[in-house]
Amino acid sequence: MADLDNKEQAELDPADMEDVEEVEEEETGEDVNSKERQLTVQMMQNPQILAALQERLDGLVGSPSGYMESLPKVVKRRVNALKNLQVKCAHIEAKFYEEVHELERKYAALYQPLFDKRSDIIKAVYEPTDEECEWKQEEEEELTVSKQVQEEMKEKAKLEEEKKDEEKEDPKGIPEFWLTVFKNVDLLSEMLQEHDEPILKHLQDIKVKFSDAGQPMSFTLEFHFEPNDFFTNTVLTKTYKMRSEPDESDPFSFDGPEIMGCTGCTIDWTKGKNVTLKTIKKKQKHKGRGTVRTVTKTVPNDSFFNFFSPPEVPESGELDEDSEAVLAADFEIGHFIRERIVPRAVLYFTGEAIEDDDDDYDEEGEEADDEEGEEEADEENDPDYEPKKDANPPAECKQQ
């Protein structure tokens, strides 16, 4: 540690050393602890010192503590026995997840009739009865409003609905149901482009299909479209292949099934309607003659429908950083659609599921604010704390 201190002192800028020396001369009569604290603050503001410390900390990451090496040989043998037991636990856990997958298959068959009826209502194939359309409010909501007010509100809402029905034609089913769901979910709305929306208005249903019993673990997302002017496919698919077994080279890293790869499908675009490509024109100047010509090129275009053309995972399993990032994001989206969007679609359509997610983030935000407040309070209570004179926020942070 003494060597590091000497190195830090040697790397200090001469101007910084002058500041340190001046502080020492001015505060010779003050408390020693206070002086040391101020010296530490000044030194830690020096970028060279921070870089040196960071380099030392980086060197410590992943290094053994030395505790295991210090154990007697007989104890190390017993620890190895525990690690072998842990490997067996990982293999049992893998079997557990395989059975969970079988349960998912079983219950998917029970859910599907309900999802099929949901799809029929959205597509106007089935008109729900008055009894099916009656939504019972929570008791807490009913307690907050008197019965008389409730009746008045219901009557007013009924009149407004009748007025709206008179003003426009009766829409079929629930128009733009899935497009609205996508636009309400940040993870999906970030993928949407303006040119995708007219296509997704034709999306009628999303289904999840699990691999058959005895087959390698996988699931397929099926996007069902009504006939449209953009492509001839009625179903677009995306299949995710999973593995639920520990890696022999690193069995302790097993943490449940992992997605090993995914395959999309070919979209049969109508001529001139492929939103995943765009045409650009470039002007090229001839070096010798100086003449200019215009060249037309077709290049990739941002679109949600790139989701159906993921990067292929080579047999070696090695990917470049960009492909790894794309696949990681792709896996997250596929898993989210399967786990959350399909089972709870109506709640994302109404926004209720989004409100639940926002509540979770708000709680974290409040905790962060509290911690920030505590830090500010500590600074203000510090006798050596001096607020900066220029405390005005930058222009973009000021209130309008």
Side-chain angles (χ1 to χ4, degrees):
M1 190 64 186
D3 293 339
L4 179 59
D5 293 338
N6 292 335
K7 180 181 178 182
E8 292 167 354
Q9 293 287 355
E11 291 178 348
L12 277 172
D13 187 89
D16 294 330
M17 288 299 295
E18 290 176 4
D19 293 340
V20 174
E21 291 171 359
E22 289 176 4
V23 171
E24 290 179 343
E25 292 172 0
E26 293 172 3
E27 300 180 356
T28 51
E30 292 184 3
D31 181 75
V32 176
N33 291 334
S34 175
K35 182 170 65 176
E36 288 180 352
R37 183 166 62 250
Q38 290 184 4
L39 285 171
T40 302
V41 170
Q42 290 186 356
M43 290 170 66
M44 294 305 293
Q45 290 175 346
N46 186 287
Q48 292 178 328
I49 292 178
L50 291 176
L53 288 174
Q54 186 63 49
E55 184 178 355
R56 174 64 64 88
L57 291 172
D58 290 343
L60 294 175
V61 174
S63 61
S65 64
Y67 174 72
M68 283 297 298
E69 288 75 6
S70 67
L71 293 175
K73 185 176 181 180
V74 65
V75 177
K76 290 181 181 178
R77 289 180 67 255
R78 294 167 189 153
V79 171
N80 288 337
L82 297 185
K83 292 172 71 174
N84 285 326
L85 291 175
Q86 190 62 44
V87 171
K88 293 180 179 179
C89 286
H91 284 281
I92 292 174
E93 186 180 5
K95 294 295 182 183
F96 164 78
Y97 283 113
E98 288 179 2
E99 292 194 20
V100 168
H101 186 70
E102 291 301 314
L103 277 175
E104 286 183 316
R105 290 181 57 255
K106 173 184 175 182
Y107 280 89
L110 300 178
Y111 286 126
Q112 197 55 52
L114 301 177
F115 294 156
D116 289 341
K117 192 168 187 178
R118 176 180 72 186
S119 177
D120 289 342
I121 293 174
I122 292 171
K123 296 184 294 185
V125 174
Y126 172 78
E127 183 63 32
T129 64
D130 291 341
E131 182 180 356
E132 290 175 320
C133 293
E134 183 180 353
W135 176 251
K136 297 179 181 179
Q137 293 184 343
E138 297 290 340
E139 292 182 3
E140 292 181 2
E141 294 179 9
E142 293 178 355
L143 290 174
T144 58
V145 186
S146 68
K147 192 172 182 180
Q148 182 180 356
V149 174
Q150 285 186 35
E151 293 299 328
E152 291 177 357
M153 292 174 64
K154 287 181 180 179
E155 186 64 27
K156 184 177 180 181
K158 184 178 180 181
L159 292 173
E160 289 180 355
E161 287 181 4
E162 290 177 354
K163 185 178 179 181
K164 288 180 180 179
D165 289 341
E166 291 176 359
E167 293 175 353
K168 62 180 181 180
E169 297 180 4
D170 181 26
K172 303 298 181 183
I174 304 179
E176 302 181 14
F177 177 85
W178 289 103
L179 173 59
T180 303
V181 170
F182 276 44
K183 293 171 74 172
N184 281 347
V185 178
D186 290 341
L187 187 65
L188 301 178
S189 64
E190 291 173 358
M191 303 168 61
L192 292 185
Q193 306 297 322
E194 188 175 348
H195 48 253
D196 293 325
E197 295 187 15
I199 308 176
L200 288 172
K201 289 180 180 180
H202 298 284
L203 178 59
Q204 294 184 311
D205 197 12
I206 303 177
K207 296 181 179 180
V208 180
K209 295 293 180 67
F210 293 92
S211 55
D212 295 333
Q215 296 296 317
M217 189 182 295
S218 69
F219 68 91
T220 299
L221 300 176
E222 295 183 350
F223 294 72
H224 292 253
F225 287 83
E226 65 182 352
N228 60 79
D229 297 331
F230 299 93
F231 46 71
T232 57
N233 311 66
T234 56
V235 181
L236 301 182
T237 61
K238 183 76 169 286
T239 300
Y240 291 87
K241 300 175 182 177
M242 300 184 293
R243 181 181 69 176
S244 181
E245 60 184 46
D247 187 343
E248 292 183 3
S249 62
D250 186 16
F252 302 133
S253 65
F254 181 74
D255 190 27
E258 57 180 333
I259 297 177
M260 302 304 296
C262 58
T263 54
C265 66
T266 300
I267 302 178
D268 300 320
W269 294 98
T270 304
K271 186 176 181 180
K273 299 290 187 177
N274 188 347
V275 295
T276 65
L277 299 174
K278 63 181 178 181
T279 302
I280 60 173
K281 293 182 179 180
K282 282 189 174 183
K283 291 184 178 181
Q284 295 180 341
K285 186 176 181 179
H286 194 280
K287 292 181 180 179
R289 296 191 296 270
T291 56
V292 178
R293 67 174 182 175
T294 301
V295 178
T296 301
K297 294 180 64 177
T298 300
V299 297
N301 192 26
D302 290 337
S303 168
F304 165 77
F305 291 90
N306 290 322
F307 178 69
F308 298 97
S309 302
E312 293 185 4
V313 179
E315 293 183 2
S316 63
E318 296 181 1
L319 293 168
D320 56 51
E321 291 185 4
D322 291 340
S323 296
E324 282 187 357
V326 171
L327 280 177
D330 187 282
F331 295 165
E332 181 183 1
I333 293 164
H335 184 74
F336 188 79
I337 292 174
R338 165 198 164 186
E339 290 286 327
R340 302 292 295 276
I341 298 298
V342 172
R344 309 177 69 201
V346 66
L347 301 182
Y348 284 99
F349 177 81
T350 62
E352 292 168 82
I354 289 92
E355 290 173 4
D356 292 341
D357 294 341
D358 289 343
D359 288 342
D360 294 338
Y361 284 109
D362 287 340
E363 289 175 4
E364 293 177 4
E366 288 171 4
E367 290 176 4
D369 291 342
D370 291 342
E371 291 174 1
E372 184 179 350
E374 290 174 4
E375 290 177 1
E376 292 176 355
D378 290 341
E379 289 178 342
E380 292 175 358
N381 293 330
D382 188 343
D384 298 316
Y385 170 70
E386 294 182 3
K388 296 181 180 179
K389 292 181 181 179
D390 185 12
N392 293 327
E396 63 270 22
C397 296
K398 293 181 180 178
Q399 294 182 352
Q400 300 297 326

